[in-house]
């Protein structure tokens, strides 16, 4: 009886190791034994067993990783989301188990994992890429591979190395029992570990902080919120006042010579939930703060037209001319900014009615010209989507800003997980990234992914830093979805080969 529990416990443990490899823990390397253990669970398994073990691994990984989603709305949405995402992992693990009988199986298995992530990042409701293996690798030796082929190539290398570690152990145990070295198998096992590490070292020249287009002095304002939780929006005037007050304090520090005068200022998402186009008082507060600092400022606001959907909008505010440009968030968050299937979901949770009016998506890439610097904009949730960040760089951005609002999620790990995404994006596109957040953690990130300044949670602050401006494009930026497409195609070939071999084996047995 106890022996039957070994594989399920190991599967759940593999998921926990994947979770533990994510920030805020600096334990990225735990992902390797995590995938090695998962490979042990899946190797040679039939589809039904692989699905069950994969589901347990998915729960072990995603239940703790996504616990922040229940911070204010209770456990039901959190458990529902983690369970749904774990089902994607379960199906992916069926595919991994199918290809374990193929020659060079760690390559096919890692490609199948990337196929699973690609699907999960797109469906349903536009996908949910949170928990991509690449996002846990901001401190990893594999990180330079993000500049080669983005998150798919980075994730593929990590999974391949983990599966390769298991294969190396398996070959060693085979040698011990058989008394001879399985040379071909040993070579494959060694290559699947050595090649990803070597490739990451070879990609190091792609990662640098050289200022190709000079530098700019950027400021990120963290005004803080008056209270935690979803209801903080009821005090939106206080949030606006906090950010205006901190900007005016920064202006005083500049006059006193304590800090350099910024070329531009970045406020976070939702820093003014009062629509300044419809609320004169809010407009005056913003205008006074921007005039005080004397630099173009990006304001995060909610626009409330008379009809139609709300807009989560970033506004470029000039100290002389006022609002001069806008960017509407293109990928709005399902069940957060809009409610799909509202009447059905209400049967399970009345919290859906907290979102009384849905947000609608924008359709234009966000690149603002701030005092001569092209700043690309990816609002909060958008940082998780490869296309949403890449579009800004191919659109001319020399610097990326990820304004966010994490106050809803309290002191959970969410803000650290999202910060890690921005660090990966910095290396992927070789751009400095500035992350202004309402309540923390705000940060300034160099193009090599290193955090050079950061704030504390729920502390008003202002970061001022000279950042390098860059215009060259990494291979990842140039190639876009091509690396992911190649890996998906590779996984399809592997799965097709596995099915063909299985059919042929059954026919030969029946004959």
């Amino acid at each position: 009886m106890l022996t039957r529990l070994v594989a399920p416990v190991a599967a759940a443990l593999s998921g926990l190791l994947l979770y533990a490899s994510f920030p805020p823990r600096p334990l990225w390397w735990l992902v390797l034994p995590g995938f090695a253990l998962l490979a042990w669970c899946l190797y040679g398994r039939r589809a039904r067993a692989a699905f069950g073990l994969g589901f347990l691994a998915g729960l072990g990984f995603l239940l703790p990783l996504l616990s922040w989603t229940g911070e204010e709305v209770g456990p039901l949405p959190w458990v529902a989301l983690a369970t749904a995402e774990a089902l994607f992992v379960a199906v992916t693990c069926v595919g991994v188990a199918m290809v374990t009988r193929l020659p060079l199986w760690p390559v096919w298995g890692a490609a199948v994992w990337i196929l699973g992530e690609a699907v999960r990042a797109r469906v349903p409701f536009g996908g949910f890429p949170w928990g991509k293996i690449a996002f846990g690798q901001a401190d990893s030796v594999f990180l330079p591979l993000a500049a080669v082929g983005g998150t798919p190539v980075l994730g593929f290398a990590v999974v391949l190395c983990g599966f390769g570690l298991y294969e190396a152990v398996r070959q060693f145990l085979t040698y011990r029992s058989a008394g001879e070295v399985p040379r071909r198998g040993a070579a494959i096992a060694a290559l699947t570990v050595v090649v990803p590490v070597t490739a990451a070292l070879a990609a190091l020249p792609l990662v640098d902080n050289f200022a190709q287009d000079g530098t700019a002095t950027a400021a990120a304002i963290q005004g803080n919120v008056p209270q935690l939780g979803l209801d903080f929006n009821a005090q939106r005037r206080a949030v606006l006042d906090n950010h205006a007050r901190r900007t005016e304090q920064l202006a005083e520090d500049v006059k006193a010579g304590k800090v350099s005068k910024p070329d531009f200022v970045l406020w976070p998402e939702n820093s003014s939930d009062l629509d300044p186009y419809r609320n004169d008082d809010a407009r005056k507060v913003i205008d006074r703060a921007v005039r005080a600092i004397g630099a173009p400022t990006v304001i995060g606001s909610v626009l409330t037209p008379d009809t139609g959907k709300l807009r989560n909008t970033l506004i470029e505010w000039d100290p002389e001319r006022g609002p001069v440009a806008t960017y509407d968030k293109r990928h709005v968050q399902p069940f957060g900014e809009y409610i799909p299937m509202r009447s059905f979901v209400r049967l399970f949770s009345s919290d859906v009615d907290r979102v009384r009016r849905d947000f609608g998506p924008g359709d234009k890439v966000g690149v603002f010209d701030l005092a001569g610097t092209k700043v690309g904009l990816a609002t909060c949730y958008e940082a998780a989507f490869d296309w949403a960040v890449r579009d800004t760089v191919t659109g001319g951005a020399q610097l990326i800003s990820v304004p966010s609002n994490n106050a809803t999620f309290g002191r959970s790990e969410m803000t650290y997980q999202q910060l890690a995404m921005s660090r990966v994006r910095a290396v992927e596109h070789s751009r400095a990234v500035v992350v202004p957040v309402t309540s923390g953690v705000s940060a300034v990130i160099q193009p090599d992914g290193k955090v050079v300044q950061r704030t504390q949670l729920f502390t008003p602050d202002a970061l001022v830093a000279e950042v390098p401006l860059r215009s060259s494009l990494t291979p990842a930026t140039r190639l876009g979805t091509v690396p992911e497409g190649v890996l998906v195609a590779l996984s399809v070939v592997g799965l097709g080969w596995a099915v063909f071999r299985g059919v042929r084996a059954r026919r030969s047995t029946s004959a």
Side-chain angles (χ1 to χ4, degrees):
M1 179 64 180
L2 290 177
T3 56
R4 288 187 174 185
L5 295 177
V6 172
V9 170
L13 178 59
S14 71
L16 287 172
L17 287 172
L18 298 186
Y19 158 68
S21 72
F22 274 66
R25 292 159 296 280
L27 304 175
W28 63 267
W29 49 270
L30 285 177
V31 74
L32 300 178
F35 275 111
L37 186 57
L38 181 61
W40 177 80
C41 294
L42 299 177
Y43 190 86
R45 296 281 184 179
R46 294 182 181 274
R48 183 176 177 180
F51 181 88
L53 293 171
F55 183 63
L56 289 173
L59 288 178
F61 174 32
L62 294 166
L63 267 175
L65 187 79
L66 302 178
S67 60
W68 50 268
T69 60
E71 187 74 16
E72 289 296 329
V73 294
L76 182 59
W78 158 43
V79 173
L81 175 61
T83 300
E85 296 299 308
L87 289 173
F88 281 93
V89 176
V91 174
T92 300
C93 287
V94 172
V96 172
M98 288 174 59
V99 301
T100 54
R101 297 300 190 186
L102 299 180
L104 206 63
W105 78 263
V107 174
W108 305 111
V112 169
W113 186 273
I114 299 305
L115 169 63
E117 287 193 340
V119 173
R120 195 162 67 86
R122 290 168 172 81
V123 294
F125 313 120
F128 188 73
W130 218 279
K132 266 189 171 185
I133 291 303
F135 293 148
Q137 298 296 297
D139 291 304
S140 166
V141 297
F142 296 101
L143 181 60
L145 289 171
V148 176
T151 58
V153 168
L154 174 55
F156 174 78
V158 172
V159 180
L160 175 60
C161 194
F163 285 169
L165 283 174
Y166 165 71
E167 183 63 11
V169 172
R170 194 178 75 86
Q171 293 294 336
F172 173 75
L173 294 177
T174 300
Y175 160 67
R176 289 194 62 182
S177 61
E180 59 180 289
V181 179
R183 294 181 180 178
R184 183 168 176 269
I188 290 172
L191 285 173
T192 53
V193 174
V194 173
V195 169
V197 175
T198 303
L201 295 175
L204 277 172
L206 295 173
V207 182
D208 69 73
N209 297 326
F210 178 70
Q212 297 170 332
D213 304 324
T215 63
T217 301
I221 301 297
Q222 178 174 301
N224 204 9
V225 296
Q227 66 178 38
L228 306 187
L230 288 172
D231 291 336
F232 87 92
N233 280 325
Q235 300 186 37
R236 53 192 182 275
R237 174 55 195 268
V239 176
L240 170 58
D241 287 343
N242 285 353
H243 286 84
R245 186 180 304 113
R246 194 60 189 82
T247 303
E248 290 166 355
Q249 182 180 336
L250 175 61
E252 293 174 2
D253 291 341
V254 169
K255 290 179 181 178
K258 296 179 180 178
V259 294
S260 300
K261 178 178 171 57
D263 296 310
F264 52 86
V265 179
L266 302 169
W267 285 17
E269 177 190 33
N270 296 127
S271 45
S272 174
D273 277 342
L274 292 170
D275 184 345
Y277 293 101
R278 301 171 64 88
N279 188 303
D280 287 339
D281 192 41
R283 186 184 184 105
K284 290 177 181 176
V285 170
I286 296 170
D287 202 52
R288 184 174 63 247
V290 175
R291 285 179 180 272
I293 195 62
T297 302
V298 178
I299 310 297
S301 188
V302 173
L303 301 191
T304 56
D306 289 329
T307 60
K309 296 181 178 180
L310 303 174
R311 289 291 186 271
N312 187 335
T313 300
L314 299 176
I315 306 171
E316 178 184 350
W317 205 286
D318 185 85
E320 300 299 330
R321 297 176 293 161
V324 294
T326 60
Y327 166 66
D328 293 335
K329 187 177 182 180
R330 291 179 292 161
H331 202 309
V332 293
Q333 182 182 352
F335 304 103
E337 292 173 305
Y338 77 99
I339 306 297
M341 307 180 300
R342 183 181 288 268
S343 58
F344 175 74
V345 175
R346 189 181 290 113
L347 297 175
F348 301 93
S349 175
S350 61
D351 284 322
V352 298
D353 292 323
R354 294 194 185 196
V355 182
R356 298 176 182 176
R357 186 176 174 185
D358 287 343
F359 283 79
D363 57 6
K364 294 181 181 179
V365 178
V367 180
F368 286 169
D369 187 332
L370 302 177
T373 298
K374 297 292 183 65
V375 178
L377 306 165
T379 306
C380 196
Y381 185 58
E382 291 181 320
F385 294 86
D386 295 345
W387 60 267
V389 181
R390 177 179 179 266
D391 281 355
T392 69
V393 180
T394 57
Q398 301 165 295
L399 169 80
I400 298 170
S401 176
V402 184
S404 302
N405 174 19
N406 298 339
T408 297
F409 307 110
R411 298 183 180 275
S412 70
E413 294 182 358
M414 184 271 187
T415 188
Y416 303 104
Q417 293 171 10
Q418 191 175 56
L419 179 60
M421 291 180 191
S422 294
R423 294 180 62 192
V424 172
R425 298 303 185 198
V427 174
E428 181 179 9
H429 300 293
S430 194
R431 296 291 188 274
V433 180
V434 181
V435 184
V437 182
T438 50
S439 56
V441 174
S442 301
V444 178
I445 305 166
Q446 292 284 74
D448 65 359
K450 298 292 190 299
V451 176
V452 292
Q453 288 191 39
R454 62 185 294 171
T455 65
Q456 299 298 314
L457 284 170
F458 296 100
T459 304
D461 208 343
L463 304 179
V464 180
E466 186 178 13
V467 292
L469 304 179
R470 296 177 59 84
S471 55
S472 64
L473 303 181
T474 64
T477 308
R478 293 180 184 275
L479 293 170
T481 59
V482 171
E484 183 181 56
V486 170
L487 292 172
V488 167
L490 184 65
S491 71
V492 172
V493 170
L495 291 169
W497 187 8
V499 170
F500 173 76
R501 281 167 58 105
V503 170
R504 188 173 64 176
R506 285 193 294 271
R507 285 179 177 174
S508 62
T509 301
S510 60

